[in-house]
Amino acid sequence: MCLAVPGKVLDVEDRDGTRMATVDFGGVVKEVCLEYLPDLKPGEYAIVHVGFALQRLDEESARKTLELFETLGMLQEEFGDPWESAAEANGNERPAREGVAGEVRP
């Protein structure tokens, strides 16, 4: 499932002509494109879907939504490692994956 998740902008920069932000989603930090909200500033909140900030959001609404998502386990579902989740669901250790191009495994 792909959610639109509220996040707090930590940092904003221009990368090769594209405005990008580092955004905190309740402890999970991701890079987000700001092309739809070019005037978004650090400290502000936005709803993010598939890596794009789509709409400004006030801090209280963002906090409440993140708390609800966390309670329902939706943040882990959205941002967690799918291989780890699958292994936990099956009661096993993380399954081995081979042949994934460009992947660096610990």
Side-chain angles (χ1 to χ4, degrees), residues 86-106:
E88 288 175 10
N90 292 319
N92 300 322
E93 292 182 20
R94 183 178 178 159
R97 290 187 296 170
E98 294 183 23
V100 178
E103 181 179 54
V104 177
R105 300 277 318 245

Side-chain angles (χ1 to χ4, degrees), residues 9-61:
V9 177
L10 301 176
D11 186 35
V12 175
E13 67 178 271
D14 184 80
R15 263 191 234 148
D16 298 321
T18 302
R19 287 189 42 83
M20 297 294 290
T22 304
V23 179
D24 181 0
F25 300 96
V28 176
V29 177
K30 300 277 185 179
E31 295 299 306
V32 171
C33 180
L34 297 183
E35 288 302 301
Y36 296 127
L37 295 173
D39 59 340
L40 202 61
K41 297 175 182 71
E44 293 184 310
Y45 289 80
I47 294 175
V48 177
H49 181 62
V50 293
F52 289 87
L54 300 177
Q55 180 179 350
R56 259 187 194 79
L57 188 63
D58 65 273
E59 182 175 0
E60 183 179 348
S61 296

